[in-house]
Amino acid sequence: MFCYQCEQTAGGTGCVKMGVCGKNPETADLQDLLIYAIEGIAKYAHRAGKLGLQDRTVDRFVVEALFTTVTYVNFDTARLETLIQRSGKIIAEAQNLYKNACKKGGKTPEVLSSPADWKAPSSREQMLAEAQSISIAKRLEVLGPDVAGLQELILYGLKGVAAYADHAMILGVEDDSVYAFFHEALDFLTEPQAEDVDTLVAMTLKVGEINLKVMEMLDQANTQTYGHPEPTSVRVTPVKGKAILVSGHDLKDLYMLLQQTEGKGINVYTHGEMLPCLAYPGLKKFKHLVGNFGTAWQNQHKEFDVFPGAILMTTNCIQRPKESYKNRIFTTGLVAWPDVRHIGEDKDFSPVIQAALAAPGFTADAEEKRIMVGFGRNAVMSVADKVIEAVKAGKIRRFFLIGGCDGAKPGRNYFTCLF
């Protein structure tokens, strides 16, 4: 294996034996092959799109496949194997889409080369063998670190955009031009022009532009579904009673869990990057969403270990579960870990609820402590005039913009040290 898609990569150069994240070589190789497969799909979808035909099944599969290979999402080799097998069917659908688009437009289809001619291997052993020939390490050897590195930078950017696009899609917000760009960029990575540094840099910047558009889509999806975040006081200490902890990013999963747990005597807590959910009117209306437990994603081993209830991982941020809580942690959506129970597309959270009821829960209220959340753009802009006046009067001297995940490495506590 070779993987260097995250900041934690071994030695700052790449994980070659085992991922720092817990990814094993088989998982890494299958993820590489899945990416290769969707590049083949994109070659057909991109050309079909230019001729006026798109297919939502193809579009969504490409986005989900990209997202499933993000760090801390899918570590389950069996699920990855299934996705690779499905890729073989999707690439055939994309090829037919392109042929139909050509027929409709009176054009002769191009004869496309690898990876458009890719066929899904029939066994995991064959998949792993094929993965060696298309690995990042091979491209680094052939293309050098600058070209291969820029290609990977584009790919990792697309993975991040796919995460936003998937969340927006789940809430009903999609855009044809965004799907078209995924296909365009993935097709680009298979073409000779993707070996030119200047052209690669230009595409990297374009990925950034599309990312802003997709972030707007996600904002629209979240706020039209659950309302604009409001400044909200959030409890960060436990309340007596049975408990479920929700981590990851998926607002809809949290909403459906809150619906299914209402009236069952179970308190629900957010964890990590789910903390902002407590400021959305459509979520905080549930009285049994009582607060946030714990801190950042990288502290989950310690925090999940002491949490006396069930744990639900939505989308990503999962680390190798400890045996002490493996029987009460669940995954759903694209996130998966081997031997961890997965809640399917029906979103029936009964197993999570049963695990919470079987666990001891918190035996007493802890001392109440609170923090403020919910200062989204709508809340800030509603008082922009007052903020400007305060800056002019010297009452506000600094602004801190914190974006993205908490860093796991030592030395990332600079915001804390400022005060």
Side-chain angles (χ1 to χ4, degrees):
M1 70 173 285
F2 181 85
C3 181
Y4 65 165
Q5 83 167 4
C6 78
E7 65 153 7
Q8 300 171 74
T9 189
T13 57
C15 297
V16 296
K17 293 183 179 179
M18 189 75 179
V20 172
C21 64
K23 183 193 301 181
N24 63 32
E26 280 197 359
T27 301
D29 290 344
L30 292 175
Q31 288 183 352
D32 288 346
L33 187 58
L34 179 59
I35 293 297
Y36 184 76
I38 64 170
E39 286 176 343
I41 293 168
K43 290 187 76 67
Y44 290 117
H46 173 52
R47 286 160 179 79
K50 289 198 295 184
L51 293 172
L53 285 187
Q54 284 186 278
D55 185 304
R56 274 290 184 264
T57 299
V58 173
D59 295 339
R60 291 170 180 169
F61 181 81
V62 167
V63 168
E64 290 176 356
L66 281 167
F67 189 10
T68 205
T69 64
V70 171
T71 307
Y72 296 111
V73 179
N74 189 349
F75 294 79
D76 191 333
T77 51
R79 292 177 67 82
L80 287 168
E81 185 179 343
T82 299
L83 283 170
I84 291 170
Q85 291 170 341
R86 189 178 170 210
S87 297
K89 297 177 182 178
I90 297 292
I91 201 168
E93 292 179 18
Q95 185 178 24
N96 287 332
L97 182 72
Y98 174 51
K99 288 179 179 178
N100 290 336
C102 288
K103 184 177 180 180
K104 183 179 178 181
K107 296 183 178 293
T108 301
E110 294 179 55
V111 178
L112 302 177
S113 59
S114 181
D117 57 0
W118 178 83
K119 306 293 183 185
S122 58
S123 69
R124 184 180 300 184
E125 290 71 23
Q126 291 174 328
M127 291 177 186
L128 294 171
E130 186 172 328
Q132 303 311 308
S133 64
I134 50 90
S135 67
I136 301 170
K138 284 285 185 183
R139 284 191 290 109
L140 283 166
E141 182 182 330
V142 173
L143 301 173
D146 291 341
V147 170
L150 282 167
Q151 289 178 353
E152 288 301 293
L153 181 61
I154 290 168
L155 179 60
Y156 302 156
L158 291 173
K159 291 182 180 187
V161 179
Y164 296 138
D166 184 70
H167 284 308
M169 179 269 290
I170 287 170
L171 293 175
V173 177
E174 300 175 86
D175 188 294
D176 287 346
S177 66
V178 169
Y179 286 128
F181 178 74
F182 280 115
H183 303 318
E184 175 191 347
L186 289 168
D187 172 70
F188 164 82
L189 290 173
T190 71
E191 296 291 321
Q193 60 185 329
E195 296 181 16
D196 177 75
V197 168
D198 290 339
T199 309
L200 284 163
V201 170
M203 179 57 78
T204 303
L205 295 174
K206 194 169 182 181
V207 172
E209 292 174 9
I210 294 297
N211 184 53
L212 290 174
K213 180 174 183 175
V214 177
M215 288 177 71
E216 290 176 353
M217 289 168 54
L218 179 57
D219 176 73
Q220 175 193 344
N222 286 339
T223 55
Q224 74 181 14
T225 307
Y226 304 111
H228 283 278
E230 304 167 338
T232 303
S233 174
V234 171
R235 181 170 180 139
V236 292
T237 51
V239 176
K240 181 180 179 180
K242 303 291 184 176
I244 295 175
L245 187 62
V246 184
S247 193
H249 301 90
D250 198 296
L251 274 63
K252 188 173 182 179
D253 282 339
L254 175 60
Y255 180 80
M256 289 187 287
L257 177 70
L258 288 167
Q259 285 183 312
Q260 294 178 38
T261 50
E262 198 164 23
K264 288 184 167 59
I266 299 173
N267 293 320
V268 177
Y269 299 80
T270 60
H271 178 268
E273 291 162 54
M274 293 294 282
L275 171 62
C277 295
L278 290 148
Y280 284 88
L283 296 172
K284 68 178 185 177
K285 68 180 182 181
F286 292 94
K287 302 303 181 185
H288 61 300
L289 179 62
V290 295
N292 188 79
F293 177 88
T295 53
W297 63 270
Q298 68 261 26
N299 299 322
Q300 66 186 251
H301 281 154
K302 178 176 69 175
E303 293 168 355
F304 290 1
D305 201 24
V306 299
F307 185 77
I311 303 155
L312 177 65
M313 302 300 298
T314 71
T315 58
N316 55 319
C317 294
I318 192 171
Q319 294 178 302
R320 181 190 299 276
K322 295 173 67 174
E323 291 299 323
S324 58
Y325 60 80
K326 198 170 184 180
N327 67 335
R328 53 187 176 86
I329 186 171
F330 301 80
T331 59
T332 193
L334 297 178
V335 66
W337 193 281
D339 302 322
V340 167
R341 285 173 289 180
H342 188 81
I343 305 299
E345 294 182 5
D346 62 355
K347 299 295 181 181
D348 180 0
F349 292 116
S350 298
V352 184
I353 294 169
Q354 292 166 7
L357 293 173
F362 290 102
T363 57
D365 291 346
E367 178 185 357
E368 185 170 346
K369 295 180 181 179
R370 291 182 171 271
I371 61 173
M372 291 295 296
V373 302
F375 296 94
R377 62 169 180 83
N378 199 60
V380 172
M381 293 308 296
S382 69
V383 293
D385 56 338
K386 296 181 176 62
V387 172
I388 292 170
E389 290 174 9
V391 171
K392 289 179 177 179
K395 296 179 180 179
I396 295 177
R397 293 179 296 168
R398 294 187 182 94
F399 289 92
F400 298 98
L401 174 63
I402 305 173
C405 300
D406 297 298
K409 288 185 176 181
R412 295 290 295 272
N413 59 337
Y414 40 80
F415 287 108
T416 305
C417 294
L418 285 170
F419 299 98

